[in-house]
C-alpha cells in the first residue's frame, strides 16, 4: 500500500559514491550501486533521516512523495541478509573476523588458572558478531560495555566464564544498529539468560535500555541481570529482572 510520506531522496548528479551515508542507515535502505548511493527499497526507509549530515556532497534530502509504507519486518529480514553477506565477505577477506569457537582445554605455558582467558568465541564486537553465530544458540549471553573489562580486574573469571559475549559502546557507536542486531540475536539465538555489564557513567546505562528495547521487539522475556561497575573497579549495583 502506498501513501504520501517522508522518504530519502538522492541527487545522483551530486553523489560521488563515497559511501559515507551507508553505515548511518541502520535499515540498510541505502547501498552503493554503479558508483552511486541509491535507495534500494521504499519499504526499508523510515524517512527519519539518520543518514542526513553525513554526505559531503549534500546529495541526500528528505522529501514527501508517494511511497510504499515502511515495513519493519521486511527491514529485519533485509538487515539479516546483509549481515550474513557481510560476515561471509569478512571471513573471506579478513581471517581475523571469521566466526570461531575457542577451546580452553588447559592453562599451560605458565599461566595460572586464575589468570587464564575465559574467552570462548571470536569475534566479540557487536557489529561483527552475526546473529546466527553457533556460539550464541541458547547461550548465557554477556552484553558488556567496551570499558567494563578495563575497570573490573576479574572480568574474565566473574563475568566472561561460561558466557558468550558481545561488546559495544552505546555512546560512540550506532544505537539503532545495536538495537536491531540485539533483536536479531534474541530472535535467532534465543539465549538462556542475559547479563548486562556496564560502567557507572551515565552514557553506559543506555546499554541496558538497548537490551530492553531489543527484548521487547523480539517478544522475549529472557531473565536479565544488570551489573553496574564503578570506575574504581568495584561492583556498585546488581539488579535482576
Amino acid at each position: 500500500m502506498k501513501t504520501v510520506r517522508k522518504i530519502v531522496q538522492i541527487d545522483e548528479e551530486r553523489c560521488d559514491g563515497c559511501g559515507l551515508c551507508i553505515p548511518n542507515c541502520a535499515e540498510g535502505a541505502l547501498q552503493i550501486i554503479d558508483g552511486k548511493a541509491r535507495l534500494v527499497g521504499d519499504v526499508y526507509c523510515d524517512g527519519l533521516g539518520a543518514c542526513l549530515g553525513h554526505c559531503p556532497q549534500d546529495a541526500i534530502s528528505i522529501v514527501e512523495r508517494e511511497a510504499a509504507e515502511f515495513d519493519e519486518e521486511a527491514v529485519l529480514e533485509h538487515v539479516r541478509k546483509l549481515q550474513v553477506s557481510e560476515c561471509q565477505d569478512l571471513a573471506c577477506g579478513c581471517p581475523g573476523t571469521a566466526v570461531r569457537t575457542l577451546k580452553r582445554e588447559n592453562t599451560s605455558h605458565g599461566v595460572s588458572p586464575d589468570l587464564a582467558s575465559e574467552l570462548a568465541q571470536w569475534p566479540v564486537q557487536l557489529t561483527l558478531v552475526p546473529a546466527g553465530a553457533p556460539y550464541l544458540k541458547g547461550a548465557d549471553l554477556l552484553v558488556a560495555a567496551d570499558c567494563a573489562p578495563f575497570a573490573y580486574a576479574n572480568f574474565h573469571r566473574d563475568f566472561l566464564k561460561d558466557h558468550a559475549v558481545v561488546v559495544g559502546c552505546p555512546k560512540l557507536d550506532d544505537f539503532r544498529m545495536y538495537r536491531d542486531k540485539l533483536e536479531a540475536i534474541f530472535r535467532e539465538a534465543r539465549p538462556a539468560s542475559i547479563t548486562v555489564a556496564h560502567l557507572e557513567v551515565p552514557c553506559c546505562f543506555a546499554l541496558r535500555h538497548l537490551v530492553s528495547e531489543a527484548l521487547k521487539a523480539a517478544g522475549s522475556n529472557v531473565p536479565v541481570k544488570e551489573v553496574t561497575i564503578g570506575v574504581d573497579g568495584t561492583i556498585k549495583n546488581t539488579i535482576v529482572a
Side-chain angles (χ1 to χ4, degrees):
M1 178 180 177
K2 291 188 175 182
T3 59
V4 176
R5 68 179 183 90
K6 292 183 177 180
I7 196 165
V8 160
Q9 177 172 280
I10 308 231
D11 185 334
E12 292 192 8
E13 291 187 3
R14 286 178 175 267
C15 177
D16 62 2
C18 71
L20 292 177
C21 57
I22 305 303
N24 294 288
C25 179
E27 294 78 19
L30 300 179
Q31 297 294 319
I32 299 298
I33 300 174
D34 297 330
K36 299 285 185 179
R38 302 182 191 276
L39 180 63
V40 297
D42 290 355
V43 294
Y44 305 139
C45 178
D46 58 13
L48 297 179
C51 52
L52 298 181
H54 298 280
C55 178
Q57 303 301 322
D58 196 25
I60 305 175
S61 60
I62 297 292
V63 300
E64 287 196 10
R65 65 169 173 83
E66 190 177 71
E69 293 183 353
F70 176 67
D71 187 334
E72 189 169 359
E73 290 188 5
V75 166
L76 289 174
E77 179 62 17
H78 177 59
V79 170
R80 186 190 69 79
K81 289 179 179 178
L82 288 175
Q83 289 168 348
V84 170
S85 175
E86 178 182 4
C87 179
Q88 291 172 340
D89 290 343
L90 285 170
C92 294
C94 179
T97 59
V99 173
R100 298 159 58 193
T101 298
L102 309 177
K103 294 183 179 181
R104 302 289 179 187
E105 297 179 351
N106 58 59
T107 56
S108 57
H109 307 293
V111 178
S112 158
D114 288 340
L115 298 178
S117 173
E118 296 292 347
L119 183 64
Q121 76 193 61
W122 191 261
V124 298
Q125 215 290 331
L126 185 53
T127 303
L128 300 177
V129 174
Y135 52 74
L136 295 176
K137 301 290 186 182
D140 292 309
L141 179 64
L142 172 64
V143 182
D146 285 348
C147 299
F150 294 96
Y152 192 77
N154 290 326
F155 191 84
H156 274 245
R157 186 180 64 190
D158 294 351
F159 290 99
L160 192 53
K161 185 177 182 180
D162 299 325
H163 284 72
V165 60
V166 293
V167 303
C169 176
K171 180 178 178 65
L172 300 180
D173 299 332
D174 189 327
F175 189 95
R176 177 171 291 182
M177 185 279 291
Y178 274 3
R179 197 222 68 133
D180 291 346
K181 174 61 77 67
L182 286 170
E183 179 185 348
I185 289 174
F186 297 156
R187 285 183 184 277
E188 294 189 36
R190 298 184 179 276
S193 69
I194 299 170
T195 299
V196 180
H198 61 78
L199 293 188
E200 62 182 334
V201 294
C203 56
C204 240
F205 282 85
L207 197 61
R208 177 64 175 96
H209 180 61
L210 270 171
V211 169
S212 296
E213 282 198 354
L215 282 171
K216 183 178 179 180
S220 175
N221 59 355
V222 176
V224 178
K225 179 169 74 171
E226 178 185 6
V227 182
T228 303
I229 300 169
V231 294
D232 61 357
T234 60
I235 301 249
K236 297 297 184 181
N237 194 26
T238 300
I239 300 173
V240 179

